[in-house]
Amino acid sequence: MTYEHQPRQPEAKSPEDVRVGAVVITMGQRPEELRALLESVAKQDGAPVEVVVVAQGVTVPNIPQGVRVVELPENLGIPGGRNVGIEAFGEGGRDVDVLLFLDDDGLLPQQDTARLVREAFAADPRLGIVSFRIADPETGVTQRRHVPRLRASDPMRSSRVTTFLGGANAVRTEVFQEVGGLPDDFFYAHEETDLAWRALDAGWHIDYRADMVLHHPTMPPSRHATYHHNVARNRVWLARRNLPAPLVPVYLGVWFLLTVARSPSRAVLKSWLVGFREGWRAPCGPRKPMKWRTVWRLTRLGRPPVI
């Protein structure tokens, strides 16, 4: 998904003037959790957050009044569903300044999250994306994989980062208008990093904010049936779409060796290898390699694009 848009310096706004919307995709499997999430969004301080629920191949009953629902005839995957949600706010989400993307089984435990989001984007006109801290509602623990940086031992430390968490984030809609939406064909896995790299290449910043919290039960990512296949295929697509040619074999070679070194089961390795092969053979979408200065920027932020 791309848009005809000329990059420009974002206009400075006061926090009260930052218009915030939210996109939630669902397959209708967690109606009670979805309703609790929507109630937590409705309780946010400040101006109401307009919410769009994208129902992927299902009909969703008992949605609170004022929440818009877009019902799709089939499941388009995570990036495809979120792109539909973006367009529900006008082309590239132009009807609002910032969009929250929240998992349907998540919950905003604090009422000041939307206010913190408004303040963050108003304070930094080049801030493009904010990644929230995900914490288990029972234990309060944040998994290492939910801290989007290599030095993940302290989840309470906020910092500039190079990627973000898909179901707990806020994105300035000018980012979509400048660099396009999420890659539909990825369906699931690495779509956030694809958008993050394009945003960084365009000069936007990405922050991890430990004080913006989404409660979400601890679950292994491998619960998705196609997880290992999609992780491998999409990593190849990510490199083919975004990296300078000399870095593509380096990046993918490192990940190939890391995967083998982790000694996965035979079934897991087979699924991963099938996905890896498909990533080379199947079309990956438009290629726009990042600038070498972006490679250096990623390196300075602690995540060189070879790992």
Side-chain angles (χ1 to χ4, degrees):
M1 178 181 294
T2 58
Y3 308 99
E4 293 295 329
H5 178 79
Q6 293 299 319
R8 62 181 178 85
Q9 182 68 20
E11 297 178 3
K13 290 189 175 186
S14 67
E16 295 77 16
D17 293 330
V18 176
R19 302 164 298 169
V20 178
V23 173
V24 181
I25 60 173
T26 185
M27 293 181 66
Q29 299 165 329
R30 298 180 281 250
E32 293 182 5
E33 291 89 342
L34 173 61
R35 189 168 185 88
L37 169 66
L38 297 177
E39 289 174 354
S40 74
V41 175
K43 292 177 181 177
Q44 292 298 300
D45 298 337
V49 177
E50 183 180 354
V51 182
V52 168
V53 172
V54 180
Q56 302 247 57
V58 295
T59 298
V60 184
N62 302 320
I63 294 296
Q65 186 176 4
V67 174
R68 285 193 287 158
V69 179
V70 178
E71 294 184 353
L72 303 178
E74 60 181 325
N75 178 14
L76 299 182
I78 292 174
R82 287 180 178 146
N83 282 336
V84 170
I86 295 167
E87 294 301 295
F89 288 91
E91 185 179 10
R94 66 176 180 230
D95 295 343
V96 293
D97 300 300
V98 176
L99 279 174
L100 310 180
F101 294 88
L102 307 170
D103 276 350
D104 66 345
D105 56 344
L107 184 78
L108 295 175
Q110 302 165 179
Q111 294 186 24
D112 63 351
T113 301
R115 176 179 62 79
L116 292 173
V117 166
R118 291 186 177 96
E119 291 174 352
F121 283 97
D124 184 354
R126 293 308 301 175
L127 178 62
I129 303 172
V130 171
S131 189
F132 298 173
R133 179 169 63 88
I134 296 179
D136 185 275
E138 300 295 331
T139 66
V141 171
T142 296
Q143 295 178 276
R144 285 184 66 93
R145 69 183 183 89
H146 285 155
V147 182
R149 58 178 179 244
L150 288 179
R151 295 185 177 92
S153 59
D154 182 8
M156 301 306 294
R157 178 173 67 88
S158 300
S159 68
R160 282 268 149 93
V161 291
T162 62
T163 188
F164 64 100
L165 307 173
N169 67 79
V171 181
R172 191 187 297 270
T173 54
E174 283 194 49
V175 172
F176 299 124
Q177 294 156 24
E178 181 173 350
V179 307
L182 296 154
D184 289 324
D185 291 341
F186 279 42
F187 198 83
Y188 165 77
H190 300 317
E191 66 273 5
E192 301 92 359
T193 300
D194 186 90
L195 176 62
W197 283 2
R198 286 182 280 127
L200 290 166
D201 197 48
W204 297 98
H205 300 305
I206 305 174
D207 282 354
Y208 166 72
R209 289 283 297 264
D211 57 339
M212 300 180 189
V213 182
L214 181 85
H215 275 175
H216 189 282
T218 299
M219 295 179 181
S222 55
R223 68 188 183 277
H224 298 282
T226 60
Y227 172 76
H228 299 291
H229 173 277
N230 284 19
V231 161
R233 181 197 65 188
N234 293 0
R235 197 175 290 284
V236 177
W237 283 353
L238 178 69
R240 289 175 58 196
R241 284 164 57 92
N242 295 287
L243 290 181
L247 292 185
V248 173
V250 179
Y251 176 82
L252 295 176
V254 168
W255 278 105
F256 189 94
L257 293 174
L258 282 174
T259 301
V260 173
R262 289 168 177 165
S263 302
S265 68
R266 184 183 296 271
V268 167
L269 183 59
K270 180 180 178 180
S271 177
W272 195 91
L273 289 172
V274 169
F276 192 80
R277 183 169 60 248
E278 182 181 333
W280 286 107
R281 294 178 174 178
C284 64
R287 171 169 166 76
K288 186 180 179 183
M290 66 177 64
K291 307 172 190 72
W292 282 104
R293 67 170 177 262
T294 304
V295 173
W296 175 236
R297 184 181 178 196
L298 289 164
T299 303
R300 286 189 292 110
L301 287 170
R303 192 86 189 227
V306 293
I307 188 170

